[in-house]
């Protein structure tokens, strides 16, 4: 009898061990249980899980402060998970597969269509979140197939920074057309100083800097072998091959471009407006202006790509938590939050009604704000096919800028591979 | 598991009389079988879950249309050989195979020959030899992401220290585009990987050299053998076991290396440093084509590339 008991105990132990291992590895998809709620039912939600990828200062503290303030206003504490951006997407996918997504999830606007199509996110209207504080252009960042899945409190875009002292020294004005851009950049190049810096890096940053040129020329990301696409790429190639921009642009991201501009190694910079916070925070602040991206011909209008992160509402199946998460999102999208975030991070509030108030404080952002209002989302046309096209575009940029291929060859390859991935 | 083992160990040596009476000889052997399996099962379960499952899953995903939605819905339709066709039709595939081969061969040859030369050098006793040898381990201690950031600034075409040095010495007149020219970037990446891998080679080879008895060299020198002769006749044959291990490990590390290339060039410029592991990474986590990514990962016979990568780019827009 003792032995029988002993054996069953051993089997029980073995079974327990196996179950424990299986539980640890339970990430194989299928129908896992919903994220368990630590709070009781009803409205007794005391804390919310929020995830984002702002791991670097000062953004880490700025976003953390914003979340805490919003949490306080709705009476919950925030359990924040800040994951480095390189690991962020795999973490989101892993959590979406094990049904353990946080209550509020920040997602880069470029990745939103792919994530929302999986069904892991609720449309914000389904949770009763008003979108009236987010202007039309910024709202497009979180819109997929006409449905709003995420709200961005602020947005940024590509602008042209010019060094006022260097321009004055050369007796030149900030360029407004492509021809002027070329001639000004050449005139400002001397010694170890380049006329202009921009990113042609082989990631989204290279594409980001190319898009305002493409769109302002009347091109579109779904017709990469168009004449407009070729003329825009030819402009970048000419700037590099004439020596007005460094060959190293293929390695530079926006942050490197900002560094070149800050240290005076480049007289102009075509880059993300967020680089402003670095320029203003420098020990000897630079005398610079922000102007809109030059257009092909005088009179053409600039269309800029919007960049930003949207805050989304993953489904958890727990009504009380979902309701609290919706309240938190409303606070994140509120006018007060927008103004405070925008001012601290040198981005543009999502609500156009705040423009006057915002520009009173930071008048030099006038062109930047205008660019965001006229801008559009990179995923607006292609939705979840955008990531593959993004890759096709920066691959083409790199091939052409390094002279591996002509502009025509590079772009027809890009058009083919973008079409193949659709 | 410790509990299971100790419980079983306590009971196996003394089978209770009751069980012998009840079961008889045949089932006694059966029970012994059961005991044996009870010991093996935890390990088997572990291996199946953490080694076999990922490998099989990886291979199976190569035949599926696996997208971001698949993670949530669990639905990934089987599409036969479609992923394979796409990969082989991709103009970037064969170049990335060639880059992988060049990267691996170049890195191993460089790391090993320099590593061996240094190990032989440090074998001689001289003042501060021990200190120098420990300093040599520094590149190994640095996180790869730090060393790649360092090399990226050293190798900058316009303001990098490497070009400044070469110009000052008078070797070159204009800066070499180390990482920004498609024809040079692969060489530069190999140079950095060699730098990263030398300490590993020195450490293991130095250890191997320490095991060779000093008397052999003394005997050889009495017989009139010079340094070359004693290296070929004594050092090399006796170091062979260590050499085999070092080269094998280096081949494995280099073949699946992602972080060095991600940190230095992200596979660019213009795809000139794209290898199988890096393109697998990009296909999965940049283009969201997980099935294709897995297919490439299988090609490079490595597990799905680690998702550790801090330089992955997204615009630093707000």
């Amino acid at each position: 009898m003792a032995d029988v008991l002993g054996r069953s105990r051993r089997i029980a132990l073995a079974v327990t061990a196996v179950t424990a291992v299986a539980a640890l590895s339970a990430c194989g998809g299928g129908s896992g249980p919903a994220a368990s709620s630590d709070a009781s039912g009803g409205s007794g939600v005391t804390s919310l899980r929020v995830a984002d990828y702002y791991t670097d200062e000062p953004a880490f503290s700025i976003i953390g402060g914003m979340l805490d303030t919003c949490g306080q206003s709705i009476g919950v504490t925030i359990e924040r998970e800040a994951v480095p951006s390189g690991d962020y997407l795999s973490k989101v996918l892993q959590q979406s597969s094990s049904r353990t997504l946080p209550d509020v999830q920040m997602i880069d606007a470029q990745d939103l269509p792919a994530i929302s199509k999986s069904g892991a996110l609720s449309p914000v209207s389904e949770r009763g979140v008003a979108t009236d504080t987010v202007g039309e252009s910024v709202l497009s960042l979180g819109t997929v197939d006409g449905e709003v899945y995420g709200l961005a409190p602020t947005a940024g875009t590509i602008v042209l920074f010019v060094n006022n002292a260097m321009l004055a020294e050369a007796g030149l004005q900030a360029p407004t057309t492509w021809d002027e851009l070329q001639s000004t950049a050449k005139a400002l190049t001397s010694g170890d100083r380049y006329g202009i810096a921009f990113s042609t890096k082989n990631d989204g940053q290279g594409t980001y800097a190319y898009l305002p040129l493409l769109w302002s020329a009347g091109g579109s990301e779904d017709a990469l072998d168009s004449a407009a696409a070729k003329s825009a790429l030819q402009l970048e190639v000419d700037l590099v091959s004439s020596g007005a921009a460094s060959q190293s642009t293929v390695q530079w991201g926006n942050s490197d471009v900002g560094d070149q501009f800050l240290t005076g190694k480049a007289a102009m910079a075509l880059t993300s407006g967020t680089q402003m916070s670095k320029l203003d925070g420098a020990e000897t602040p630079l005398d610079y202006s922000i102007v809109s991206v030059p257009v092909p011909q005088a009179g053409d209008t600039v269309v800029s790509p919007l960049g930003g992160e949207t805050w989304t509402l993953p489904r958890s199946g727990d009504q009380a938590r979902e309701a609290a998460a919706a309240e938190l999102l409303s606070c994140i999208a509120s006018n007060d939050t927008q103004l405070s975030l925008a001012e601290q991070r040198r981005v543009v509030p999502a609500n156009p009604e705040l423009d006057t108030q915002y520009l009173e404080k930071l008048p030099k952002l006038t062109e930047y704000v205008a660019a965001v209002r006229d801008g559009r989302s990179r995923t607006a046309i292609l939705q979840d096919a955008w990531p593959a096209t993004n890759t096709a575009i920066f691959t083409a940029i790199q091939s052409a800028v390094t002279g591996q291929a002509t502009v025509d060859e590079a772009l027809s390859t890009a058009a083919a591979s973008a079409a193949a991935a659709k | 598991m410790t509990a299971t083992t100790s419980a079983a160990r306590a009971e196996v040596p003394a089978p209770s009389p009751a069980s012998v009476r009840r079961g008889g000889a045949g089932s006694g052997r059966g029970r012994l079988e059961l005991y044996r399996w009870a010991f093996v099962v935890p390990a088997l379960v572990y291996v199946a879950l953490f080694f076999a499952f990922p490998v099989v899953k990886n291979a199976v995903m190569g035949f599926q249309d696996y997208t971001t939605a698949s993670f949530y819905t669990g639905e990934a339709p089987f599409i036969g050989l479609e992923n394979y066709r796409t990969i082989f039709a991709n103009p970037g595939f064969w170049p990335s195979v060639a880059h992988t081969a060049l990267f691996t061969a170049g890195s191993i040859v460089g790391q090993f020959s320099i590593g061996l030369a240094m190990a032989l050098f440090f074998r001689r006793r001289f003042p501060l030899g021990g200190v120098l040898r420990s300093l040599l381990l520094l590149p190994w201690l640095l996180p790869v992401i730090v060393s790649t950031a360092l090399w990226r600034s050293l190798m900058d075409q316009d303001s990098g220290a490497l070009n400044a040095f070469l110009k000052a010495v008078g070797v070159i007149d204009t800066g070499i585009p180390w990482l920004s020219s498609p024809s040079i970037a692969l060489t530069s990446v190999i140079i950095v990987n060699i730098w990263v891998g030398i300490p590993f080679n020195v450490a293991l080879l130095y250890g191997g050299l320490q095991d060779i008895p000093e008397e052999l060299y003394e005997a050889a020198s009495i017989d009139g053998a010079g340094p070359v002769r004693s290296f070929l006749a004594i050092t090399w044959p006796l170091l062979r076991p260590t050499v085999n291990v070092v080269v094998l490990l280096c081949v494995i590390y280099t073949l699946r290396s992602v972080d060095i290339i991600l940190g230095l060039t992200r596979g660019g410029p213009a795809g000139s440093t794209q290898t199988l592991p890096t393109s697998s990474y990009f296909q999965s986590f940049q283009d969201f084509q997980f099935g294709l990514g897995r297919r490439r990962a299988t090609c490079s016979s490595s597990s799905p590339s680690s998702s550790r990568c801090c330089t992955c780019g997204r615009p630093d827009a707000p």
Side-chain angles (χ1 to χ4, degrees):
Chain A
M1 236 6 219
D3 185 71
V4 172
L5 274 177
R7 195 202 309 171
S8 64
R9 196 173 70 225
R10 282 197 299 280
I11 291 171
L13 273 168
V15 168
T16 318
V18 171
T19 337
V21 172
L24 280 174
S25 67
C27 56
S31 55
S36 66
S37 62
D38 49 349
S40 53
S43 60
V45 178
T46 55
S47 70
L48 286 176
R49 289 171 56 221
V50 180
D52 63 71
Y53 63 56
Y54 296 104
T55 48
D56 294 334
E57 290 295 359
F60 177 80
S61 304
I62 296 174
I63 299 294
M66 178 275 281
L67 289 173
D68 287 340
T69 311
C70 277
Q72 261 169 15
S73 75
I74 62 164
V76 297
T77 53
I78 302 295
E79 294 168 32
R80 182 182 178 205
E81 302 160 42
V83 181
S85 64
D87 293 339
Y88 194 70
L89 199 61
S90 46
K91 174 108 178 170
V92 172
L93 294 174
Q94 194 188 343
Q95 290 185 331
S96 104
S97 136
S98 59
R99 299 290 196 274
T100 51
L101 284 170
D103 299 294
V104 175
Q105 174 101 50
M106 188 220 73
I107 295 177
D108 185 286
Q110 293 187 83
D111 300 334
L112 184 69
I115 306 287
S116 69
K117 290 211 168 162
S118 71
L121 309 174
S122 306
V124 298
S125 60
E126 210 171 87
R127 304 267 197 99
V129 178
T131 59
D132 54 347
T133 54
V134 179
E136 197 184 343
S137 71
V138 180
L139 196 61
S140 72
L141 282 177
T143 308
V144 182
D145 288 340
E147 192 79 69
V148 179
Y149 285 91
L151 295 179
T154 58
T157 188
I158 293 278
V159 288
L160 184 69
F161 290 86
V162 295
N163 186 316
N164 293 337
M166 291 177 186
L167 274 179
E169 192 189 324
L172 292 166
Q173 298 286 313
T176 56
T177 63
W178 287 4
D179 287 343
E180 285 175 28
L181 181 68
Q182 296 255 29
S183 59
T184 313
K186 251 179 250 173
L188 290 170
T189 305
S190 70
D192 59 356
R193 181 181 87 194
Y194 288 100
I196 186 168
F198 53 92
S199 167
T200 56
K201 196 177 181 187
N202 52 341
D203 64 14
Q205 304 182 76
T207 310
Y208 196 37
Y210 168 74
L211 287 179
L213 306 174
L214 171 72
W215 290 347
S216 303
S220 165
E221 61 274 30
D222 60 358
L224 291 177
D225 46 4
S226 67
K230 286 173 189 168
S231 64
L233 184 53
Q234 191 65 51
L235 175 68
E236 291 196 334
V237 171
D238 289 346
L239 284 169
V240 173
S241 61
S242 70
S246 167
Q247 284 181 48
S248 302
T249 54
V250 291
Q251 279 172 265
W252 291 343
N254 289 322
S255 180
D256 305 287
V257 172
D259 289 341
Q260 298 288 321
F261 184 68
L262 176 63
T263 53
K265 286 180 191 163
M268 299 187 284
L270 181 73
T271 190
S272 160
T274 49
Q275 291 305 310
M276 248 181 105
S277 51
K278 178 159 65 193
L279 303 177
D280 293 348
E283 279 179 27
T284 46
L286 204 65
D287 177 22
Y288 68 93
S289 301
I290 292 178
V291 299
S292 70
V293 177
V295 287
Q297 306 290 331
D300 291 346
T301 44
V302 194
V303 185
S304 303
L306 295 183
E309 285 86 16
T310 63
W311 297 82
T312 66
L313 298 170
R315 296 179 200 275
S316 71
D318 179 330
Q319 289 201 339
R321 290 188 79 92
E322 289 197 344
E327 275 186 67
L328 187 68
L329 181 64
S330 297
C331 175
I332 293 176
S334 70
N335 288 341
D336 289 345
T337 310
Q338 290 184 20
L339 274 175
S340 121
L341 283 182
E343 196 182 338
Q344 293 180 79
R345 303 196 55 229
R346 293 294 191 270
V347 280
V348 177
N351 192 349
E353 288 166 21
L354 301 173
D355 285 357
T356 331
Q357 198 183 340
Y358 187 55
L359 288 175
E360 258 170 41
K361 278 185 188 157
L362 293 162
K364 70 179 163 195
L365 269 74
T366 310
E367 295 287 347
Y368 186 18
V369 171
V372 167
R373 297 293 164 241
D374 296 336
R376 76 169 170 87
S377 160
R378 282 165 281 183
T379 53
I381 295 178
L382 293 171
Q383 307 271 324
D384 57 342
W386 166 249
T389 303
N390 188 9
T391 303
I393 294 178
F394 66 65
T395 308
I397 296 174
Q398 287 228 321
S399 315
V401 167
T402 58
Q404 290 284 87
T406 64
V407 167
D408 284 8
E409 288 164 2
L411 283 171
S412 52
T413 310
S417 57
K422 253 179 227 173
Chain B
M1 205 148 88
T2 331
T4 326
T5 324
S6 60
R9 197 188 297 137
E11 287 166 38
V12 172
S16 85
S19 70
V20 174
R21 208 180 314 128
R22 205 163 22 82
S27 87
R29 191 177 299 141
R31 191 169 304 132
L32 201 63
E33 279 287 284
L34 198 70
Y35 285 143
R36 284 179 187 152
W37 278 107
F39 283 111
V40 175
V41 160
L44 268 186
V45 167
Y46 178 82
V47 169
L49 275 174
F50 293 103
F51 294 96
F53 176 71
V55 170
V56 172
K57 178 84 179 164
N58 195 24
V60 171
M61 273 175 83
F63 296 98
Q64 284 177 302
D65 185 15
Y66 215 95
T67 62
T68 41
S70 312
F71 283 89
Y72 187 75
T73 58
E75 286 162 21
F78 280 90
I79 50 168
L81 293 171
E82 194 52 45
N83 284 335
Y84 288 72
R85 272 186 222 112
T86 315
I87 287 292
F88 287 117
N90 186 316
F93 178 74
W94 292 112
S96 75
V97 172
H99 297 154
T100 311
L102 283 173
F103 177 67
T104 309
S107 301
I108 303 289
V109 169
Q111 287 174 358
F112 182 77
S113 49
I114 299 177
L116 181 61
M118 284 194 164
L120 287 169
F121 177 71
F122 281 107
R123 192 163 187 251
R124 303 192 302 193
R125 295 182 193 286
F126 53 90
L128 292 181
V131 177
L132 279 177
R133 197 157 43 82
S134 351
L135 283 180
L136 206 66
L137 292 179
L138 272 181
W140 203 12
L141 290 177
L142 282 182
V144 172
I145 205 68
V146 175
S147 26
T148 51
L150 189 89
W151 276 99
R152 237 159 58 92
S153 73
L154 286 178
M155 286 178 154
D156 187 86
Q157 186 183 352
D158 302 311
S159 50
L162 192 57
N163 278 342
F165 171 76
L166 292 176
K167 271 185 209 165
V169 176
V171 183
I172 52 169
D173 296 328
T174 52
I176 298 175
W178 291 107
L179 296 171
S180 35
S181 157
S183 47
I184 302 177
L186 187 61
T187 315
S188 310
V189 170
I190 292 174
I191 291 174
V192 176
N193 196 37
I194 290 175
W195 178 82
V196 171
I198 286 175
F200 177 75
N201 281 263
V202 174
L204 290 197
L205 291 173
Y206 182 81
L209 286 176
Q210 295 299 95
D211 286 344
I212 303 176
E214 201 57 42
E215 301 88 71
L216 293 177
Y217 291 102
E218 286 165 13
S221 73
I222 291 169
D223 289 345
V228 176
R229 179 78 188 150
S230 57
F231 175 80
L232 290 177
I234 302 170
T235 313
W236 186 250
L238 290 176
L239 200 59
R240 276 297 295 278
T242 317
V243 169
N244 290 343
V245 173
V246 171
V247 171
L248 181 72
L249 288 178
C250 282
V251 168
I252 294 172
Y253 289 152
T254 312
L255 263 185
R256 63 173 199 193
S257 151
V258 191
D259 37 12
I260 286 191
I261 295 178
L262 282 187
L264 284 172
T265 61
R266 279 183 56 87
S272 59
T273 54
Q274 199 75 269
T275 61
L276 288 173
T278 58
S279 47
S280 157
Y281 176 88
F282 290 128
Q283 211 115 45
S284 297
F285 291 102
Q286 182 173 282
D287 299 354
F288 301 140
Q289 294 165 332
F290 295 91
L292 294 182
R294 284 316 111 106
R295 178 62 208 111
R296 292 220 185 191
T298 315
C299 282
S300 66
S301 68
S302 67
S303 56
S305 37
S306 106
S307 57
R308 273 190 69 248
C309 136
C310 313
T311 51
C312 270
R314 46 190 82 243
D316 71 343

